[in-house]
Amino acid sequence: QVQPVESGGGSVQAGGSLRLSCTTSGYTLSNCVAWFRQAPGKAREGVAGIYSGTPHTYYADSVNGRFTISQNNAKNTVYLQMNNLKPEDTATYYCAAQSPGARCATILSDLTYDYWGQGTQVTVSS
């Protein structure tokens, strides 16, 4: 069982930055990997995704230009650099990964993913 582990959440003021990390110990991330978030009372939404081992990335309109997803060379850690944070970015952020050989149909759809982390809280104050 693959268990992604997120870290790096915290509390910042609007305009600040945070970097989230997602590590899968002993597992090479394959196909696509993504970050999702869920705020209280709202549906989970895809924020950023990357095709593992490639520079191809995708972003939700709400974060495009502010967030950057990247991956380390060993392909077992994915990062989410979040700049110019806004209060509406407040949510629990989750890392999602696929099982080996899975097809990446829709990179920012939660139906694409098999493995989920426990989440890390991001709180942005105005």
Side-chain angles (χ1 to χ4, degrees):
Q1 181 69 20
V2 176
Q3 179 63 62
V5 178
E6 304 96 340
S7 62
S11 298
V12 296
Q13 290 190 326
S17 298
L18 285 172
R19 189 175 84 153
L20 306 183
S21 298
C22 170
T23 300
T24 54
S25 180
Y27 178 73
T28 300
L29 294 164
S30 60
N31 301 319
C32 51
V33 186
W35 286 95
F36 289 76
R37 68 185 181 187
Q38 189 167 22
K42 294 188 177 181
R44 183 165 57 190
E45 64 168 335
V47 172
I50 185 169
Y51 283 99
S52 183
T54 81
H56 301 298
T57 56
Y58 295 85
Y59 299 94
D61 289 343
S62 57
V63 306
N64 197 21
R66 300 188 297 121
F67 290 11
T68 303
I69 188 171
S70 61
Q71 186 177 33
N72 70 339
N73 289 337
K75 296 195 292 183
N76 62 358
T77 302
V78 172
Y79 305 98
L80 185 67
Q81 177 67 42
M82 306 185 295
N83 297 328
N84 191 23
L85 282 160
K86 303 177 180 181
E88 52 264 42
D89 295 317
T90 295
T92 301
Y93 284 71
Y94 299 91
C95 176
Q98 290 188 296
S99 55
R103 177 172 170 264
C104 186
T106 307
I107 197 167
L108 293 185
S109 168
D110 56 4
L111 298 177
T112 296
Y113 298 94
D114 307 296
Y115 306 122
W116 294 83
Q118 294 299 309
T120 185
Q121 178 66 35
V122 171
T123 303
V124 184
S125 58
S126 58

